[in-house]
Amino acid sequence: MRHFSLLPLLLLFPLVMTGQVMADFHVVPLPQHCVAQKGKAFALPSLSAIRYEGDSDMERNAHFLASWLKQAYSMEVPVTNSKVKEPAIVLKINAKITEREGYRITVSQRAVTIEGGSAAGVFYGMQTLRKALPVKPEGEVAIPAVVVEDSPRFAYRGMHLDVSRHFFGTDFVKQYIDMLALHHINTFHFHLTDDQGWRVEIKRYPKLTEVGAWRRRTVVGRNTGIYEWKRYGGFYTQDEIRDIVRYAADRYITIIPEIDMPGHMEAVLAAYPELGCTGGPYEVEPNWGVFDDILCAGREETFRFVEGVLDELTELFPSEYIHIGGDEAPRTRWKACPKCQERIRAEHITTKGKQTAEDQLQGYFMKRVEHYLNSKGRKAIGWDELLDCDVTPSTTIMSWRGVEGGVEASKKGHDVIMVPTAWFYFDYYQTPEDYWNKPLLIGGFVPIEKVYSFEPAPDTLPEEARKHIIGLQANLWTEYVYADEFAQYQVLPRMGALCELQWIQPENKNFDSFMTRQRRLNNLYEALGWQYCKYAFLDKKKTLVLAPFFTKSRW
């Protein structure tokens, strides 16, 4: 059970006592244990140094902490791996902490010691300390004598960003990674390709970025038939990708790239029309939605193309998993394509229950791609439509159409990541229908309390199936999210609710407590210059709060 000592009261609120403003470890996500100790607080202005024990990862951690203190309090704190005079902050790995991402913070008058089961655990302990410290204090900052112990519920804690519909530059992607790190999120799902644009350089197929990365027009609004006739797009060079991957790894975040297939491939077909069933003509898609033209499963050139892309992608991204999509792939073209029908006959593919032969053809396609990934030492993740085409249990399923797909997949032995739209699609509105100044979005309503209410591994599931639910994430699709500040606004503060679900045990959830702690985290967002939705925190729900990026239309 979660244990928070109620004495002394200075742990409950940042109080001004004898000129001191106390840190408060009631943060997001809430640590499992926080127990007050006898003794005086640690006075932050007296800090002499940050000392680390260990390798380059621990040295980097120490420099991160030093940079945060400089940013927050203009403190210049030296970093060293040598013995120093107290008071000091000490960072070290403790083999007795059995959870790799677990940590312990011990505070006395002379030292703040942050220990972890690994360098990643130390990093999360540092983030907890960072969030506990007051923002813009009016007085000397002190940290109460306390022991904090914590570890996460789920090993997979994800957040997604779509850069295909609207492109986001490397500076924002790095800022987004910083946002994930602040929230203890360890996996960045990078949606790099879709009908509306291909965003990663593949040297073997240069037309993917010469042609596929650019659309010549973009629909205005919700598929109105009116277009902005302006060339739009962009892509990341391989050097930029390597830089982003290093940046994330330094913050203990794994990037899982997604190349969605066999559907959502019109940008590819515009570049290489011979990979489609009809041969075109195709264009990089200017509209939003699901389209009939997908990769031809009857052509061997298609599989050579996919394998060539994956060869370079796996060189760029060292992640255990590669996301291969599999969602929203209409079979219309396959039903009429002689080559696809010949593949069905050659592979002895037939209908199976409610699954048509073309459904089973997608199963053949995805299994073939997965086997190729396996041969390179990687694993496949796909959307829950893969359950409709009989893929192998070794495929990890991302359940987005609801909870049911995840439940079904877990019972079949698939590992599952829960991403149901009704709780975790952050491109949906977070304000109600009658709110005055909503931006144009895809629709839906996912307020922060709805996010917080979700339970990814319900008690109704058999224990064996529950073990297959390895984590959860939220998705930010960007058909209507066109600017950096807009993306910030859509994910914050809902990312706070997400990270608490990913981290704490279900019996310790309390929405009122969370909202109190989230208000404090909002102060840090503001100090960092990040936009966030204030609606849930307003006293008068009809108060007009106009974010700067809503003051003019994209068009």
Side-chain angles (χ1 to χ4, degrees), residues 3 40 54 66 167 174 177 213 234 248 279 325 344 356 402 407 489 544 550:
H3 182 197
K40 295 183 178 180
F167 180 70
K174 289 179 178 180
I177 289 167
I344 286 172
T356 67
V407 171
Y489 176 90
L544 182 66
F550 295 158

Side-chain angles (χ1 to χ4, degrees), residues 218-260:
T218 300
V219 69
V220 175
R222 297 192 180 107
N223 287 345
T224 58
I226 302 169
Y227 297 92
E228 178 187 40
W229 286 87
K230 181 179 179 181
R231 187 172 185 257
Y232 179 88
F235 65 93
Y236 309 103
T237 68
Q238 292 200 355
D239 284 343
E240 287 174 327
I241 289 291
R242 292 186 186 97
D243 182 49
I244 290 168
V245 168
R246 280 192 298 268
Y247 191 89
D250 286 348
R251 289 150 182 81
Y252 307 96
I253 293 172
T254 298
I255 300 182
I256 295 179
E258 180 183 357
I259 304 295
D260 200 352

Side-chain angles (χ1 to χ4, degrees), residues 410-475:
S410 66
K411 289 179 178 178
K412 290 181 176 180
H414 295 272
D415 282 345
V416 173
I417 299 157
M418 286 291 194
V419 201
T421 58
W423 289 269
F424 295 122
Y425 266 40
F426 286 0
D427 55 325
Y428 285 13
Y429 286 109
Q430 50 192 324
T431 57
E433 285 297 324
D434 59 352
Y435 194 49
W436 292 356
N437 64 308
K438 294 196 302 184
L440 179 67
L441 289 169
I442 197 168
F445 180 40
V446 182
I448 193 168
E449 57 267 31
K450 181 72 178 290
V451 177
Y452 198 82
S453 70
F454 186 72
E455 171 47 46
D459 292 336
T460 52
L461 268 183
E463 181 62 27
E464 190 60 33
R466 293 179 73 201
K467 290 178 182 178
H468 282 290
I469 297 175
I470 62 173
L472 64 157
Q473 76 172 35
N475 292 348

